[in-house]
Amino acid sequence: KYLIYSFNTPTKPDVGNVEVVVRATDNAGQTTEQIIKLDVSDDTEPPVIGMASPAKNLELYPGESFEVSGTATDDYYVRDISAYFVTEQGTEIKVPWEVFTPTERVEQIRVANPASLGSFVAAEKRYVDYKARVRIPADFVSHAGKTLKFKVRASDSGVNHSDSPSINVLIKIDTEAPVIQIKTPTALYD
C-alpha cells in the first residue's frame, strides 16, 4: 500500500533540524520506523494585508461594532489575521473578532515550457479575502474622548507579519444618564 500525505512545513527551529518520523504497522503488529531530517529555510517574505473597509475614520461608543474587510496574501501561507487598536502612546491592544469569515484562494503563476507544449507552475500566491466585525470592548470607556488607531495584522507560518494601513477611531464619551420609564403597573395615587 502507498500513502501520500502533505502538511505545512513547521517554523524553522533556532537550533537543529526538523525531523519527521514515519511509522508503519502491519496486520501482525510489526512496526517499521523511518526518520527523515528536513532542512527548513527561513521564510523571509512577510505577508501583505490590506483593509478595504472601513475606509473612513469612525466615531463610536464602547460596545458598538463595525464591519471590516480586506485581503491578505503570502507566498506560502497566511496563518492568522488579527485586529488591533493602538493607543496614543503606541500600546497595541489585540481585540477578538466578533465575526470572522475568511475565503481562501490560490493563484498560480505559470510559465511556458519551451521544451514542451505545456507550462509549469513557477510560483503560487495564497490569498485570504476576509469579512469581519469588531465590537469596541466595554472597558474602552477608559479611552473615552481619545482617538485610537485601528489596524489589521497578518502573520504567516514563519516569523513574519505585516500591518494594514490604519484608520482613526474616536471613542465617544457617553454623557447622557439613562432614563427610567415605568409603564406598568400604573400609579395608584396621584
Side-chain angles (χ1 to χ4, degrees), residues 75-114:
D75 54 341
Y76 292 108
Y77 185 69
V78 176
R79 180 179 47 84
D80 185 53
I81 299 175
S82 303
Y84 286 87
F85 284 97
V86 182
T87 66
E88 294 168 338
Q89 294 77 30
T91 304
E92 292 184 338
I93 304 168
K94 184 177 180 180
V95 293
W97 296 111
E98 185 172 79
V99 174
F100 184 79
T101 307
T103 304
E104 298 182 24
R105 58 190 164 92
V106 177
E107 290 185 7
Q108 294 181 336
I109 300 167
R110 299 189 75 82
V111 176
N113 185 350

Side-chain angles (χ1 to χ4, degrees), residues 46-47 49 72 74 77-82 84 153-162:
I49 186 155
D74 191 60
Y77 185 69
V78 176
R79 180 179 47 84
D80 185 53
I81 299 175
S82 303
Y84 286 87
R153 176 173 293 160
S155 303
D156 62 18
S157 287
V159 295
N160 306 307
H161 69 269
S162 64

Side-chain angles (χ1 to χ4, degrees), residues 30-186:
Q30 300 175 59
T31 301
T32 300
E33 189 173 279
Q34 182 78 37
I35 297 175
I36 302 168
K37 292 185 180 186
L38 299 177
D39 183 19
V40 179
S41 299
D42 281 326
D43 178 2
T44 58
E45 185 177 325
V48 175
I49 186 155
M51 184 171 58
S53 69
K56 297 179 181 177
N57 295 334
L58 301 173
E59 294 183 7
L60 298 168
Y61 290 105
E64 291 187 310
S65 66
F66 60 96
E67 304 293 318
V68 182
S69 67
T71 301
T73 183
D74 191 60
D75 54 341
Y76 292 108
Y77 185 69
V78 176
R79 180 179 47 84
D80 185 53
I81 299 175
S82 303
Y84 286 87
F85 284 97
V86 182
T87 66
E88 294 168 338
Q89 294 77 30
T91 304
E92 292 184 338
I93 304 168
K94 184 177 180 180
V95 293
W97 296 111
E98 185 172 79
V99 174
F100 184 79
T101 307
T103 304
E104 298 182 24
R105 58 190 164 92
V106 177
E107 290 185 7
Q108 294 181 336
I109 300 167
R110 299 189 75 82
V111 176
N113 185 350
S116 74
L117 297 176
S119 62
F120 64 92
V121 177
E124 288 184 338
K125 281 283 189 187
R126 296 178 186 322
Y127 293 85
V128 178
D129 300 314
Y130 64 92
K131 291 182 181 181
R133 184 173 44 245
V134 170
R135 185 163 303 277
I136 307 239
D139 63 359
F140 272 34
V141 293
S142 62
H143 298 288
K146 297 178 183 165
T147 299
L148 305 178
K149 299 234 179 255
F150 176 79
K151 65 182 179 180
V152 179
R153 176 173 293 160
S155 303
D156 62 18
S157 287
V159 295
N160 306 307
H161 69 269
S162 64
D163 296 338
S164 70
S166 62
I167 61 157
N168 292 324
V169 180
L170 173 65
I171 307 300
K172 293 168 74 173
I173 300 172
D174 184 1
T175 58
E176 290 186 29
V179 175
I180 299 173
Q181 289 183 339
I182 299 174
K183 302 222 181 213
T184 184
T186 57

